[in-house]
Amino acid sequence: MSPHTSASLKALLNKRGFRLTPQRQTILYVFQTLPQGNHLSAEDLHQILRRQGERISLSTVYRTLHLMAYMGILRELELAEGHKHYELNSPYTEHHHHLVCVQCNQTIEFKSDLIDRIGTRQAEAEGYHLLDCQLTIYGICPEAMQRGWSRTLPEGWRCSQSQQRLQRSDRDSDSDMASRG
Amino acid sequence: MSPHTSASLKALLNKRGFRLTPQRQTILYVFQTLPQGNHLSAEDLHQILRRQGERISLSTVYRTLHLMAYMGILRELELAEGHKHYELNSPYTEHHHHLVCVQCNQTIEFKSDLIDRIGTRQAEAEGYHLLDCQLTIYGICPEAMQRGWSRTLPEGWRCSQSQQRLQRSDRDSDSDMASRG
DNA sequence: CTGCGTGCAAACTGTTTGCACATGA
DNA sequence: TCATGTGCAAACAGTTTGCACGCAG
């Protein structure tokens, strides 16, 4: 159920004067084999590649993410972490939205035709060419709430101190992403 | 109708052990007197302050934006420009969403009770404590389209040949979005 | 064989932080 | 008074870019 074979990717790239390189092929493959509902930052992707023994430079990762987002192969996400995330964007991928815990970064996906329709209509109404439309809901997940967090600042927060706010505890703590239909 | 007088701001801050300073007061005032619908980046705000003769350091700007966002006084926006934007967030401010041109950054606000309701419901369904809910629609505005669409790729990216617009047809895959919701 | 793509390192942008001093409650 | 807030500069993280070489078309 891969949206692109290396042949179709090549065709897609060549059509626009770009080339199919091993790096681009590898990167697309990573996204294609990613558990449904995951999204990667440039750094994440670079780590994964490195762990797989691929030697692709970080610059190339960035350039490729850019290119693929531009081509519509990837979708660029603005979650609440200060850097962009990317996920596959294809007709085979359900268009969805995100519910994010700003404390632990747990992310729940959900879809809503209604929202998509509103987005489409709104873009049309203004004469915009629609690229993407994302409802992002920021909140505190039940687990984080239990660990204690009021809507305001964490206890002992100081402007001048190191603010341990929203600091993700571990890189692998976000592996438990749920996906709801 | 200002959501906060300096007295109520003071109360709000003191309640949490923070202090009212001239800087904080000034910054809030800038937001309060901002033309409706504008949102500022830290840099924007710093410029404005400087132009007004205020000598508030950039660090303080950042710290204040942070503080006020966490106190719920400001709303943090993730538009598509690589940096955050802030706007007033009060009961008196209509909650709204954004339609952004990824080429020229023109932003159109719109509100939708329906979206807000969907967001609320979705958060509730997952047991999340709702903080904010933003539908952000990315697209190309009519003017930018006329000028031809070349951004999204790094400066000097070599694809200068066929600059044809991408056709994003994945949005209208099956659902009938012709009907207005 | 041409010029796009890559890796590298250095540059850049937006943001955070350590420190000493200033100041609000 | 004294912990909080500020300004400054340096540190930082994420991203970009200039250059020389490598490789796809």
Side-chain angles (χ1 to χ4, degrees):
Chain A
M1 104 160 198
S2 292
H4 297 287
T5 62
S6 48
S8 77
L9 176 60
K10 177 163 161 38
L12 206 66
L13 289 167
N14 290 351
K15 191 171 59 179
R16 297 186 172 272
F18 301 116
R19 294 173 177 177
L20 180 62
T21 65
Q23 290 90 335
R24 288 174 178 172
Q25 207 166 319
T26 303
I27 287 175
L28 179 61
Y29 183 73
V30 169
F31 279 101
Q32 287 180 337
T33 55
L34 207 61
Q36 161 81 13
N38 275 23
H39 37 242
L40 304 178
S41 68
E43 202 60 66
D44 292 338
L45 176 54
H46 192 232
Q47 292 301 326
I48 289 176
L49 291 168
R50 170 161 301 191
R51 240 177 272 132
Q52 292 183 359
E54 303 287 346
R55 306 191 25 66
I56 299 182
S57 80
L58 192 51
S59 328
T60 296
V61 166
Y62 276 109
R63 287 192 268 231
T64 303
L65 289 174
H66 241 128
L67 177 64
M68 290 189 173
Y70 173 74
M71 309 255 319
I73 299 171
L74 297 179
R75 186 153 84 116
E76 198 175 84
L77 305 177
E78 305 268 354
L79 304 179
E81 301 173 47
H83 55 259
K84 297 183 162 84
H85 279 195
Y86 296 83
E87 65 184 15
L88 259 194
N89 180 30
S90 79
Y92 304 93
T93 310
E94 297 273 26
H95 184 263
H96 55 262
H97 307 276
H98 297 87
L99 172 58
V100 187
C101 174
V102 301
Q103 177 156 44
C104 67
N105 288 327
Q106 184 198 18
T107 301
I108 294 176
E109 298 188 348
F110 64 96
K111 64 194 200 65
S112 164
D113 291 342
L114 191 48
I115 292 174
D116 298 348
R117 236 175 295 134
I118 294 173
T120 304
R121 177 160 53 82
Q122 191 67 34
E124 272 172 5
E126 303 291 349
Y128 273 52
H129 172 66
L130 180 65
L131 289 180
D132 195 7
C133 146
Q134 304 175 15
L135 182 66
T136 307
I137 307 174
Y138 302 103
I140 312 291
C141 73
E143 298 75 38
M145 250 177 332
Q146 281 189 333
R147 289 196 296 273
W149 206 69
S150 57
R151 194 257 175 271
T152 51
L153 295 164
E155 282 306 308
W157 189 93
R158 304 245 174 69
C159 272
S160 49
Q161 284 186 355
S162 74
Q163 31 220 21
Q164 68 280 32
R165 52 126 209 167
L166 312 193
Q167 197 65 24
R168 62 193 308 166
S169 46
D170 246 357
R171 181 138 285 273
D172 42 337
S173 67
D174 61 341
S175 52
D176 57 344
M177 294 187 211
S179 191
R180 317 289 160 89
Chain B
M1 169 155 272
S2 293
H4 297 287
T5 62
S6 49
S8 78
L9 177 60
K10 177 164 161 40
L12 206 66
L13 290 166
N14 290 351
K15 191 170 62 179
R16 309 247 159 225
F18 301 115
R19 294 170 180 178
L20 180 63
T21 65
Q23 290 91 336
R24 288 174 180 173
Q25 209 166 318
T26 302
I27 287 175
L28 179 61
Y29 183 74
V30 169
F31 279 102
Q32 286 180 337
T33 55
L34 207 60
Q36 163 80 15
N38 276 24
H39 39 242
L40 303 178
S41 68
E43 202 61 65
D44 293 338
L45 176 54
H46 192 231
Q47 292 302 324
I48 289 176
L49 291 167
R50 169 161 303 190
R51 240 177 273 132
Q52 292 184 357
E54 303 286 346
R55 304 191 31 65
I56 300 182
S57 79
L58 192 52
S59 326
T60 298
V61 166
Y62 275 109
R63 287 192 270 232
T64 304
L65 289 174
H66 230 143
L67 178 64
M68 290 188 172
Y70 276 95
M71 307 259 317
I73 299 171
L74 295 179
R75 186 153 84 116
E76 199 176 83
L77 305 176
E78 306 266 356
L79 305 179
E81 301 173 48
H83 55 262
K84 296 183 162 85
H85 280 194
Y86 296 84
E87 65 184 14
L88 259 193
N89 181 32
S90 80
Y92 304 92
T93 310
E94 297 273 27
H95 184 265
H96 56 262
H97 307 277
H98 297 87
L99 171 58
V100 188
C101 173
V102 302
Q103 176 156 45
C104 67
N105 290 328
Q106 181 198 17
T107 301
I108 294 175
E109 299 189 347
F110 64 96
K111 61 195 204 66
S112 165
D113 291 342
L114 191 48
I115 291 174
D116 298 348
R117 236 175 295 133
I118 293 174
T120 307
R121 178 163 53 79
Q122 192 67 34
E124 272 172 5
E126 303 290 350
Y128 272 53
H129 171 65
L130 180 64
L131 289 181
D132 195 7
C133 146
Q134 304 176 15
L135 181 66
T136 307
I137 307 174
Y138 302 102
I140 311 289
C141 74
E143 298 76 38
M145 246 174 338
Q146 282 189 333
R147 290 196 298 273
W149 175 20
S150 58
R151 207 178 83 103
T152 310
L153 286 174
E155 281 306 310
W157 191 280
R158 287 169 255 186
C159 66
S160 38
Q161 330 202 334
S162 60
Q163 208 59 261
Q164 49 192 339
R165 324 199 314 255
L166 290 181
Q167 304 295 6
R168 269 301 176 94
S169 53
D170 44 303
R171 191 70 57 252
D172 49 339
S173 44
D174 51 349
S175 54
D176 58 326
M177 38 141 216
S179 63
R180 42 158 292 112

mmCIF file of all heavy atoms in Angstrom, chain A residues 102-117:
data_model
loop_
_atom_site.group_PDB
_atom_site.id
_atom_site.type_symbol
_atom_site.label_atom_id
_atom_site.label_comp_id
_atom_site.label_asym_id
_atom_site.label_seq_id
_atom_site.Cartn_x
_atom_site.Cartn_y
_atom_site.Cartn_z
ATOM 1 N N VAL A 102 0.872 19.191 25.586
ATOM 2 C CA VAL A 102 2.011 20.111 25.549
ATOM 3 C C VAL A 102 3.019 19.787 26.646
ATOM 4 O O VAL A 102 4.100 20.335 26.679
ATOM 5 C CB VAL A 102 1.582 21.590 25.706
ATOM 6 C CG1 VAL A 102 0.622 21.976 24.591
ATOM 7 C CG2 VAL A 102 0.952 21.837 27.064
ATOM 8 N N GLN A 103 2.627 18.904 27.562
ATOM 9 C CA GLN A 103 3.590 18.545 28.588
ATOM 10 C C GLN A 103 4.443 17.360 28.177
ATOM 11 O O GLN A 103 5.645 17.395 28.275
ATOM 12 C CB GLN A 103 2.885 18.238 29.899
ATOM 13 C CG GLN A 103 3.867 17.798 30.974
ATOM 14 C CD GLN A 103 3.361 18.036 32.354
ATOM 15 O OE1 GLN A 103 2.221 17.771 32.665
ATOM 16 N NE2 GLN A 103 4.214 18.565 33.209
ATOM 17 N N CYS A 104 3.832 16.292 27.700
ATOM 18 C CA CYS A 104 4.624 15.098 27.412
ATOM 19 C C CYS A 104 4.703 14.784 25.925
ATOM 20 O O CYS A 104 5.337 13.819 25.522
ATOM 21 C CB CYS A 104 4.073 13.891 28.160
ATOM 22 S SG CYS A 104 2.441 13.380 27.592
ATOM 23 N N ASN A 105 4.053 15.611 25.123
ATOM 24 C CA ASN A 105 4.115 15.449 23.671
ATOM 25 C C ASN A 105 3.383 14.234 23.127
ATOM 26 O O ASN A 105 3.510 13.913 21.948
ATOM 27 C CB ASN A 105 5.557 15.430 23.172
ATOM 28 C CG ASN A 105 6.176 16.806 23.243
ATOM 29 O OD1 ASN A 105 5.486 17.800 23.070
ATOM 30 N ND2 ASN A 105 7.454 16.865 23.513
ATOM 31 N N GLN A 106 2.682 13.539 23.975
ATOM 32 C CA GLN A 106 1.840 12.463 23.464
ATOM 33 C C GLN A 106 0.904 13.051 22.407
ATOM 34 O O GLN A 106 0.371 14.137 22.573
ATOM 35 C CB GLN A 106 1.008 11.856 24.603
ATOM 36 C CG GLN A 106 0.171 10.666 24.145
ATOM 37 C CD GLN A 106 -0.959 10.343 25.114
ATOM 38 O OE1 GLN A 106 -1.341 11.163 25.941
ATOM 39 N NE2 GLN A 106 -1.484 9.145 25.013
ATOM 40 N N THR A 107 0.752 12.338 21.330
ATOM 41 C CA THR A 107 -0.067 12.868 20.241
ATOM 42 C C THR A 107 -1.122 11.867 19.811
ATOM 43 O O THR A 107 -0.822 10.697 19.601
ATOM 44 C CB THR A 107 0.815 13.211 19.031
ATOM 45 O OG1 THR A 107 1.788 14.158 19.424
ATOM 46 C CG2 THR A 107 -0.025 13.799 17.913
ATOM 47 N N ILE A 108 -2.324 12.313 19.721
ATOM 48 C CA ILE A 108 -3.406 11.466 19.263
ATOM 49 C C ILE A 108 -3.906 12.001 17.930
ATOM 50 O O ILE A 108 -4.149 13.193 17.793
ATOM 51 C CB ILE A 108 -4.557 11.448 20.282
ATOM 52 C CG1 ILE A 108 -4.097 10.779 21.574
ATOM 53 C CG2 ILE A 108 -5.769 10.730 19.705
ATOM 54 C CD1 ILE A 108 -5.132 10.807 22.676
ATOM 55 N N GLU A 109 -4.018 11.113 16.979
ATOM 56 C CA GLU A 109 -4.532 11.543 15.687
ATOM 57 C C GLU A 109 -6.022 11.295 15.607
ATOM 58 O O GLU A 109 -6.538 10.362 16.206
ATOM 59 C CB GLU A 109 -3.849 10.769 14.574
ATOM 60 C CG GLU A 109 -2.362 10.986 14.519
ATOM 61 C CD GLU A 109 -1.755 10.358 13.288
ATOM 62 O OE1 GLU A 109 -2.459 9.582 12.624
ATOM 63 O OE2 GLU A 109 -0.588 10.650 13.004
ATOM 64 N N PHE A 110 -6.685 12.131 14.868
ATOM 65 C CA PHE A 110 -8.089 11.861 14.609
ATOM 66 C C PHE A 110 -8.429 12.484 13.271
ATOM 67 O O PHE A 110 -7.727 13.369 12.793
ATOM 68 C CB PHE A 110 -8.961 12.444 15.721
ATOM 69 C CG PHE A 110 -8.901 13.932 15.828
ATOM 70 C CD1 PHE A 110 -9.850 14.727 15.225
ATOM 71 C CD2 PHE A 110 -7.876 14.539 16.546
ATOM 72 C CE1 PHE A 110 -9.790 16.115 15.328
ATOM 73 C CE2 PHE A 110 -7.805 15.918 16.656
ATOM 74 C CZ PHE A 110 -8.764 16.699 16.049
ATOM 75 N N LYS A 111 -9.472 11.990 12.675
ATOM 76 C CA LYS A 111 -9.836 12.628 11.416
ATOM 77 C C LYS A 111 -11.247 13.176 11.487
ATOM 78 O O LYS A 111 -12.026 12.793 12.351
ATOM 79 C CB LYS A 111 -9.667 11.677 10.241
ATOM 80 C CG LYS A 111 -10.541 10.459 10.234
ATOM 81 C CD LYS A 111 -9.992 9.483 9.190
ATOM 82 C CE LYS A 111 -11.039 8.468 8.764
ATOM 83 N NZ LYS A 111 -12.194 9.074 8.048
ATOM 84 N N SER A 112 -11.504 14.082 10.611
ATOM 85 C CA SER A 112 -12.791 14.742 10.632
ATOM 86 C C SER A 112 -13.070 15.333 9.259
ATOM 87 O O SER A 112 -12.478 16.327 8.861
ATOM 88 C CB SER A 112 -12.795 15.845 11.696
ATOM 89 O OG SER A 112 -13.883 16.719 11.465
ATOM 90 N N ASP A 113 -13.955 14.707 8.551
ATOM 91 C CA ASP A 113 -14.315 15.218 7.235
ATOM 92 C C ASP A 113 -14.886 16.619 7.343
ATOM 93 O O ASP A 113 -14.693 17.466 6.477
ATOM 94 C CB ASP A 113 -15.371 14.306 6.581
ATOM 95 C CG ASP A 113 -14.777 12.960 6.211
ATOM 96 O OD1 ASP A 113 -13.532 12.884 6.142
ATOM 97 O OD2 ASP A 113 -15.548 12.010 5.996
ATOM 98 N N LEU A 114 -15.571 16.834 8.459
ATOM 99 C CA LEU A 114 -16.211 18.121 8.659
ATOM 100 C C LEU A 114 -15.172 19.237 8.671
ATOM 101 O O LEU A 114 -15.316 20.256 8.000
ATOM 102 C CB LEU A 114 -16.989 18.082 9.969
ATOM 103 C CG LEU A 114 -17.938 19.237 10.231
ATOM 104 C CD1 LEU A 114 -18.804 19.500 9.009
ATOM 105 C CD2 LEU A 114 -18.790 18.932 11.447
ATOM 106 N N ILE A 115 -14.111 19.011 9.437
ATOM 107 C CA ILE A 115 -13.056 20.021 9.505
ATOM 108 C C ILE A 115 -12.435 20.234 8.135
ATOM 109 O O ILE A 115 -12.218 21.360 7.699
ATOM 110 C CB ILE A 115 -11.977 19.607 10.513
ATOM 111 C CG1 ILE A 115 -12.551 19.651 11.921
ATOM 112 C CG2 ILE A 115 -10.764 20.514 10.399
ATOM 113 C CD1 ILE A 115 -11.618 19.122 12.979
ATOM 114 N N ASP A 116 -12.161 19.135 7.461
ATOM 115 C CA ASP A 116 -11.568 19.244 6.137
ATOM 116 C C ASP A 116 -12.460 20.073 5.224
ATOM 117 O O ASP A 116 -11.984 20.892 4.433
ATOM 118 C CB ASP A 116 -11.368 17.854 5.528
ATOM 119 C CG ASP A 116 -10.419 17.008 6.357
ATOM 120 O OD1 ASP A 116 -9.749 17.572 7.249
ATOM 121 O OD2 ASP A 116 -10.345 15.791 6.123
ATOM 122 N N ARG A 117 -13.749 19.847 5.357
ATOM 123 C CA ARG A 117 -14.671 20.565 4.498
ATOM 124 C C ARG A 117 -14.694 22.054 4.827
ATOM 125 O O ARG A 117 -14.722 22.904 3.945
ATOM 126 C CB ARG A 117 -16.079 19.958 4.619
ATOM 127 C CG ARG A 117 -16.630 19.513 3.267
ATOM 128 C CD ARG A 117 -17.951 18.806 3.413
ATOM 129 N NE ARG A 117 -17.821 17.551 4.154
ATOM 130 C CZ ARG A 117 -18.626 17.157 5.127
ATOM 131 N NH1 ARG A 117 -19.626 17.933 5.506
ATOM 132 N NH2 ARG A 117 -18.447 15.999 5.718
#
